[in-house]
Amino acid sequence: QAANGGHFTRFQLAGADIGSLYQLSTSQLAHGAPSLWTPYVRIADVDAAVRRAMDLGGHLLVEPFDVTGVARIALITDAIGAVIGLWSPLEISAE
């Protein structure tokens, strides 16, 4: 599936999204994005989590954005530089 200038593969279990794999584009690599595995955690509100992380000394690497029809995501570091992705489905289903 196309997203943010690249492509990603969704992982599902019993029809629910549980993760994804995204390959960085040449452009993203040229702008300093490291080529490595980045864990993403599913949360209720990406924007609120980004604000909270910044309040606690974290840094924003990728502004929150929507992957059309799939999820809202962002990429942050904690106060000492560990990278983590934040992921929230656009449509919350009853689970």
Side-chain angles (χ1 to χ4, degrees):
Q1 193 165 13
N4 198 31
H7 294 287
F8 74 99
T9 301
R10 294 159 71 175
F11 301 122
Q12 295 186 331
L13 178 64
D17 289 339
I18 60 167
S20 64
L21 181 66
Y22 178 79
Q23 180 159 351
L24 295 174
S25 69
T26 303
S27 172
Q28 290 166 319
L29 292 169
H31 285 94
S35 178
L36 48 83
W37 289 98
T38 303
Y40 279 77
V41 293
R42 180 178 174 167
I43 59 173
D45 185 335
V46 167
D47 296 282
V50 165
R51 287 190 299 273
R52 179 77 171 135
M54 300 309 100
D55 289 346
L56 294 171
H59 301 281
L60 182 62
L61 296 178
V62 176
E63 294 273 346
F65 71 95
D66 291 345
V67 176
T68 305
V70 178
R72 184 154 181 81
I73 66 171
L75 193 61
I76 61 171
T77 65
D78 68 11
I80 60 170
V83 177
I84 193 162
L86 306 174
W87 177 88
S88 179
L90 290 179
E91 294 183 19
I92 306 286
S93 61
E95 295 180 9

